[in-house]
Amino acid sequence: MISYIGALTVSGLQELGSMVALARQTISEVGERFSKHRSPFRLEHFFYQCDRAGVGSVPMVVLLSVFVGLTMALLTGYQLRIFGMVILVPAVVSVSFTREMGPLFTGIVLASRIGAAYTAELGAMTTGGEVDALEGMGLGARRYLVTPRFLAIFLLTPCLAVISILSGIFGAAFISSLMLQISYGFFLDQVMTNLLVKDVLAGVVKSFLFGGIIGTIACYKGLSVKGGAVGVGVATTSSVVTAISTVIVCDSLCNIFIITFFP
Amino acid sequence: MSKQTMVEMRGVKLRFGEKTVLESVDCSISAGDVFVIMGLSGSGKSTLLGILLGLLKPDAGSVKFKGMELTGLARPKLNDVRTHLGMVYQNAALISSMSVSDNIRLPLRELSDKSAKEIESTVELKLKLVGLDEDKDKLPSELSGGMQKRVGLARALALDPELVLFDEPSAGLDPINGKLINDLIIDLRKRHSVTSIVVTHEMEGAFAVATRMAFLHEGKILLVGTPEEFRNSGNPVISAFLQSYSTHEKSKG
Ligand SMILES: Nc1ncnc2c1ncn2[C@@H]1O[C@H](COP(=O)(O)OP(=O)(O)OP(=O)(O)O)[C@@H](O)[C@H]1O
Ligand SMILES: [Mg+2]
């Protein structure tokens, strides 16, 4: 058991080391492009990835968040009703959605929707020799493939998290007016008074972090595929699992950090 | 020595795990040569080209391109060198999500200072060169293996390289298109003084294009010489290799 945990830790650290190496290599390739006065990536590739990662994920994020917000309001509402404190529902739901649920659910949706796609396509390109072909041309395969993908997911996760937060709060307000006798106006009022800039900031910073984590893991897993079609499948599964668990662990660490230093 | 040395390898050694693929390869290729590398399947010919492109790092030895040491070269320099090389991959290795013309456009757009108009005319020209100007909007998956190979060749030539590495350029092509590729290699040498390294199993083509030949066997270069020297070589392995080809031809009549 202990040796198993030991082996797991060692392989985890090795992977982390390789990811850092990939990041360093990508950054150095980007620097190389700058020094030659060429753009490190094509805007059209970036926009294409943004469209895919961002716009394409909106429906799923909205759907998920509305229903999670709705459920949260309903459950907390029925609990708080016992104590006659139903009016706390807007505050509880909006704060927890902004600080916690929004970024986390966005992270999970993106890891499974986009992280998996990144890993699969980069993995297929690796096993098909396309990555080597790009590298052999001398155009820097890593910066060409990784930069637009990473930037798209890194910059769009916060945007999607905001959409998720708004949808969650909307879901909560909807069910509150329907079943908890809280009007939309009162709900909004309560959200405005209870939600602090601090909460919003915490949510947004977390989202950037999650986007970065998912992008890095997905690209790394894709570019290090070995073993043909099966290898691509294994890497894709591993990419989603690793990204989701890392996001959840990082989320907890962030919460501890925020609670400790910014109470 | 009148001609410039293009590529020089000394004691190149490469292992994949326990298996030593290249034991100690020495060879030197002059500018303007068409250097044909032959050898049994699995003898490490593709691996050798990979080392030249810097895709694989040798465990020992030195690889020089125009006097510049490639092993251990830092990335910006290595990428500069790579823009002077073109590689035709054994499996074509086209970018499968891009159309034929985008595949050729890619190195031009990323690495050259050409204007959009110049790029278009270059793409057109290179596609014509390999006889595929009709198929420029197709995806690689809509092409046959041989057609993909020719697109790979057009892409390798996009940046007008000084040295082209061909990994079995005519394998999987019909005789007419095989001859087209061979003529192209000769033409590149004569008209544009491009140096080529050609890995091939097609003996007829090999002798047609080669100015020098090498035979790779068990991790070493068994013989380097002119095509003439190869025909008259007393080496049993090489004779067997060449004979199996010629006896085939004879038995068919
Ligand atoms: N990535 C790799 N990992 C492990 N072994 C490899 C790898 N690539 C090649 N090899 C081994 O190296 C040897 C040489 O392979 P290579 O592809 O260079 O042969 P080749 O001479 O090009 O053969 P062919 O004429 O069939 O193309 C083979 O025995 C192969 O098993
Ligand atoms: Mg080969």
Side-chain angles (χ1 to χ4, degrees):
Chain A
M1 180 67 194
I2 290 176
S3 73
Y4 176 72
I5 294 176
L8 212 62
T9 317
V10 169
S11 79
L13 287 179
Q14 270 168 357
E15 295 231 319
L16 192 65
S18 317
M19 270 181 233
V20 172
L22 171 68
R24 255 186 43 194
Q25 215 170 51
T26 309
I27 292 169
S28 91
E29 286 180 15
V30 169
E32 180 193 326
R33 293 290 286 188
F34 275 126
S35 70
K36 286 180 188 161
H37 304 288
R38 293 185 196 281
S39 84
F41 58 88
R42 299 203 147 262
L43 272 184
E44 69 210 56
H45 290 169
F46 173 67
F47 286 133
Y48 169 72
Q49 297 297 343
C50 283
D51 183 48
R52 208 166 72 136
V55 182
S57 301
V58 168
M60 174 136 187
V61 165
V62 168
L63 188 82
L64 199 73
S65 308
V66 165
F67 281 100
V68 171
L70 199 143
T71 311
M72 259 179 79
L74 208 57
L75 289 182
T76 43
Y78 275 95
Q79 295 292 314
L80 291 173
R81 174 170 280 179
I82 304 170
F83 308 103
M85 297 203 284
V86 179
I87 50 162
L88 284 181
V89 166
V92 171
V93 173
S94 62
V95 171
S96 56
F97 232 94
T98 308
R99 287 178 68 142
E100 187 63 31
M101 299 302 182
L104 191 61
F105 279 115
T106 309
I108 291 172
V109 168
L110 286 184
S112 39
R113 247 194 115 245
I114 307 306
Y118 282 3
T119 305
E121 66 194 24
L122 292 179
M125 292 184 81
T126 306
T127 54
E130 295 178 34
V131 175
D132 273 350
L134 287 172
E135 185 63 23
M137 279 180 219
L139 54 75
R142 277 155 213 85
R143 66 110 201 132
Y144 180 79
L145 295 170
V146 172
T147 331
R149 288 184 172 78
F150 177 84
L151 283 182
I153 199 164
F154 179 70
L155 296 176
L156 282 178
T157 311
C159 303
L160 283 165
V162 169
I163 294 177
S164 160
I165 292 165
L166 294 178
S167 317
I169 294 178
F170 169 76
F174 173 74
I175 203 74
S176 301
S177 81
L178 208 67
M179 302 187 65
L180 302 172
Q181 287 81 43
I182 300 176
S183 74
Y184 284 108
F186 179 73
F187 198 102
L188 190 66
D189 209 44
Q190 284 295 303
V191 170
M192 286 304 177
T193 43
N194 284 293
L195 203 58
L196 305 176
V197 174
K198 189 179 79 176
D199 300 324
V200 178
L201 219 58
V204 169
V205 170
K206 265 189 193 175
S207 320
F208 273 116
L209 186 67
F210 295 168
I213 288 171
I214 297 164
T216 310
I217 290 177
C219 292
Y220 164 74
K221 291 279 180 187
L223 288 175
S224 56
V225 162
K226 287 199 177 64
V230 175
V232 176
V234 171
T236 308
T237 308
S238 156
S239 158
V240 175
V241 171
T242 317
I244 293 184
S245 9
T246 313
V247 161
I248 292 177
V249 170
C250 279
D251 185 52
S252 306
L253 294 180
C254 283
N255 287 340
I256 295 172
F257 179 81
I258 293 169
I259 303 270
T260 316
F261 292 100
F262 306 96
Chain B
M1 229 176 71
S2 58
K3 282 191 288 188
Q4 193 193 1
T5 310
M6 204 58 150
V7 174
E8 181 149 8
M9 295 195 178
R10 288 280 161 261
V12 171
K13 182 175 177 173
L14 187 94
R15 270 199 306 258
F16 282 119
E18 291 292 287
K19 190 175 149 66
T20 304
V21 177
L22 300 176
E23 175 84 44
S24 168
V25 173
D26 301 284
C27 70
S28 114
I29 299 163
S30 312
D33 265 351
V34 172
F35 193 85
V36 170
I37 300 176
M38 292 176 294
L40 304 177
S41 181
S43 57
K45 305 179 296 296
S46 300
T47 308
L48 198 62
L49 296 186
I51 290 176
L52 239 175
L53 259 188
L55 295 175
L56 294 165
K57 296 260 168 285
D59 294 313
S62 104
V63 182
K64 283 187 181 149
F65 173 73
K66 292 172 109 183
M68 193 194 308
E69 181 64 49
L70 291 188
T71 53
L73 197 63
R75 191 163 292 276
K77 278 270 166 53
L78 183 60
N79 278 343
D80 280 342
V81 171
R82 282 165 170 168
T83 57
H84 298 285
L85 307 179
M87 168 95 170
V88 183
Y89 293 85
Q90 194 166 3
N91 61 350
L94 301 174
I95 309 303
S96 51
S97 56
M98 288 184 181
S99 73
V100 165
S101 57
D102 280 342
N103 262 286
I104 301 166
R105 210 170 279 136
L106 176 68
L108 290 165
R109 281 174 66 166
E110 291 288 328
L111 295 166
S112 77
D113 294 314
K114 289 189 164 133
S115 71
K117 217 166 130 198
E118 286 170 312
I119 290 180
E120 287 321 302
S121 68
T122 312
V123 171
E124 200 90 342
L125 185 79
K126 301 295 171 187
L127 276 173
K128 234 180 224 135
L129 214 55
V130 295
L132 282 172
D133 40 335
E134 304 270 292
D135 303 286
K136 65 175 191 291
D137 294 322
K138 286 188 177 153
L139 284 175
S141 56
E142 296 168 316
L143 300 179
S144 73
M147 289 159 97
Q148 291 185 15
K149 209 54 168 290
R150 286 187 279 154
V151 178
L153 173 55
R155 179 179 68 180
L157 298 179
L159 290 172
D160 298 318
E162 294 170 62
L163 172 64
V164 187
L165 315 175
F166 295 88
D167 200 347
E168 309 202 8
S170 44
L173 291 183
D174 59 277
I176 295 175
N177 277 307
K179 185 170 183 310
L180 184 137
I181 303 279
N182 288 336
D183 289 346
L184 198 67
I185 296 172
I186 296 170
D187 193 55
L188 282 171
R189 180 174 84 84
K190 292 214 170 121
R191 295 239 306 264
H192 307 282
S193 48
V194 170
T195 313
S196 302
I197 300 177
V198 184
V199 168
T200 184
H201 290 302
E202 250 110 359
M203 287 305 123
E204 202 173 346
F207 280 101
V209 299
T211 62
R212 286 175 73 73
M213 293 180 136
F215 194 89
L216 188 64
H217 188 65
E218 292 179 342
K220 287 194 176 126
I221 301 257
L222 213 52
L223 177 68
V224 189
T226 59
E228 217 33 56
E229 284 167 344
F230 256 74
R231 278 205 189 88
N232 305 327
S233 136
N235 189 304
V237 183
I238 296 173
S239 309
F241 194 84
L242 298 186
Q243 243 160 40
S244 60
Y245 158 73
S246 53
T247 47
H248 252 299
E249 293 294 294
K250 270 181 211 137
S251 65
K252 275 185 258 166

